[in-house]
Amino acid sequence: VTFATRPTVLVVFEAPPEDGVQLTSDSALDEVHLVANALRQFPDIKEVAEVPIRNGLDLADVIRPYYDPAKPYQTVLFNMLENLPVQRTIGALCETMDLPVTDSTYPLGKMEMKAIFRAHGIRVPAGGIIPYGTTDLVASTHACLTRLLKDLSYYEEDYRAQALTPGKFGTLTVIAKNVGSDGSEGISQANVIVLQPNPADGGATYQVQALVDLVRSLQGTYHQTVLVEQFIEGREFNLSLLEKWTEDPAAPGGARREAHVLPLAEIESHPTAEALAHGFRNVVTYEAKWMSESHDGMALERRVPALNVSPTLAEELRGAALGAWHALGLNDYARVDIRVDSRERAYVLE
């Protein structure tokens, strides 16, 4: 978008609920202030306002003081919302109002992204879903794990064309998470579960009671479908991408936009002996992300640039990140979360 006059930028974020319960963490609010203050340094921006959004439907009322329908390209939304349904509402309203907005206009859920990545040959963890509101949670959990094993036999070269059963595959480590949440909401160390084949039926199914209990708790708290996917034991990386203009005499205007991968970042773990004794895993939990003084928060550290990355692994990571960028048709900027197994194979999470 080209602006004829200096635009007003509205930094939108989740408002605390009216009942006073603090859902937007202090660190998230700190990020809002940091972004707004950084934007205020740009002389080409007329005004920057921090605007709390409650449910997306109040957008028109909230931005009315800053928005003139006759001059739609004088206001820009900088999207710092975390809640997926609210983001989708905002995206639809911005499109109808001709209101430029950062981030995806129609953000995708985890399963939608996995399907797109698979179609473009990008490796993702095998997985399945347990729908919210299912009447038989045990049966749905077994069906989800059957789907996961079918995923492995279809997409993973180690198991391709094999009729996998729990007894044949053996121990399976999975992680359960909400399909529509962001910011690690609902994720703790307890979300990683090791499943064993059930000896009572000769390994035809897994022993699923611990997973069923976890899914019941997640759905009872967050009221949404749960994704259960293969847990990739290994390192975790964040790859940030930024689109820049690159000189190209063959392109219109002599330049083209191209995504560049910024220095690799790794989530390093430094758990205490006590945490290891209690089964600590390198997982970016809600506490690790938002509560720096918690056990998880003190055990994990984001290091940029990442250390001990071989040229082969660096190429694997960059290829996966750029593949995800092109598969989703992204522009401007993005971050891709990737886990790497013991054979240095990259699995895109989202």
Side-chain angles (χ1 to χ4, degrees):
V1 176
T2 300
F3 299 96
T5 60
R6 295 161 63 213
T8 294
V9 179
L10 308 182
V11 181
V12 295
F13 62 98
E14 265 97 0
E18 294 175 342
D19 59 12
V21 177
Q22 183 72 17
L23 293 183
T24 304
S25 69
D26 291 338
S27 56
L29 290 174
D30 288 343
E31 283 193 5
V32 171
H33 301 325
L34 285 169
V35 167
N37 288 332
L39 290 169
R40 292 186 179 105
Q41 307 308 309
F42 286 87
D44 291 336
I45 294 177
K46 177 182 178 182
E47 179 185 0
V48 176
E50 299 171 26
V51 181
I53 301 293
R54 194 164 303 282
N55 58 25
L57 299 177
D58 58 348
L59 175 65
D61 293 333
V62 169
I63 71 170
R64 185 169 285 119
Y66 310 95
Y67 175 71
D68 182 354
K71 303 174 182 177
Y73 291 107
Q74 292 189 358
T75 306
V76 182
L77 259 63
F78 194 104
N79 184 4
M80 295 194 69
L81 296 163
E82 295 282 355
N83 184 279
L84 186 60
V86 173
Q87 286 198 61
R88 284 180 167 153
T89 303
I90 293 292
L93 286 171
C94 286
E95 189 167 275
T96 60
M97 298 168 70
D98 284 333
L99 192 63
V101 57
T102 67
D103 207 349
S104 173
T105 307
Y106 294 103
L108 298 171
K110 292 179 175 64
M111 290 303 292
E112 295 166 297
M113 279 192 289
K114 285 169 77 76
I116 293 172
F117 292 153
R118 279 258 174 80
H120 285 79
I122 299 168
R123 185 180 281 110
V124 298
I129 60 170
I130 302 177
Y132 176 63
T134 182
T135 56
D136 190 337
L137 196 52
V138 173
S140 291
T141 301
H142 283 303
C144 173
L145 295 175
T146 298
R147 163 65 188 274
L148 190 156
L149 291 178
K150 285 183 178 180
D151 260 11
L152 285 172
S153 67
Y154 189 80
Y155 293 105
E156 286 288 341
E157 55 266 30
D158 294 345
Y159 310 106
R160 191 151 293 158
Q162 297 184 38
L164 294 179
T165 65
K168 185 173 182 179
F169 185 80
T171 301
L172 173 65
T173 305
V174 299
I175 182 168
K177 46 193 172 183
N178 302 321
V179 296
S181 291
D182 200 357
S184 295
E185 183 180 56
I187 297 180
S188 70
Q189 290 287 330
N191 288 53
V192 180
I193 293 180
V194 179
L195 301 172
Q196 300 292 346
N198 189 351
D201 58 18
T205 63
Y206 279 108
Q207 296 174 312
V208 297
Q209 191 56 55
L211 180 57
V212 168
D213 292 342
L214 171 62
V215 172
R216 181 177 288 114
S217 175
L218 288 172
Q219 294 190 341
T221 303
Y222 300 101
H223 311 290
Q224 56 181 285
T225 293
V226 170
L227 166 65
V228 178
E229 66 182 12
Q230 172 194 18
F231 180 69
I232 307 301
E233 198 79 67
R235 302 168 71 179
E236 181 161 338
F237 294 86
N238 303 147
L239 272 71
S240 297
L241 299 96
L242 185 65
E243 196 171 41
K244 300 179 181 180
W245 286 102
T246 301
E247 290 186 10
D248 183 355
R256 57 184 169 80
R257 294 172 66 140
E258 185 176 23
H260 293 259
V261 180
L262 301 183
L264 310 181
E266 180 175 9
I267 306 299
E268 290 188 346
S269 60
H270 308 284
T272 63
E274 180 183 5
L276 288 171
H278 286 84
F280 174 89
R281 294 177 184 274
N282 181 18
V283 179
V284 183
T285 64
Y286 184 86
E287 288 190 357
K289 182 168 284 188
W290 302 111
M291 302 177 185
S292 59
E293 300 303 316
S294 66
H295 288 298
D296 285 1
M298 292 186 288
L300 296 180
E301 174 188 11
R302 188 172 186 266
R303 181 181 291 276
V304 186
L307 302 178
N308 302 316
V309 178
S310 68
T312 300
L313 176 56
E315 184 179 354
E316 171 86 358
L317 290 167
R318 292 191 180 99
L322 287 168
W325 173 282
H326 293 299
L328 295 177
L330 303 181
N331 50 45
D332 298 327
Y333 63 92
R335 192 194 79 213
V336 183
D337 297 338
I338 299 174
R339 288 190 73 91
V340 176
D341 67 9
S342 59
R343 293 158 58 180
E344 296 196 337
R345 297 181 299 181
Y347 290 77
V348 173
L349 301 182
E350 56 185 301

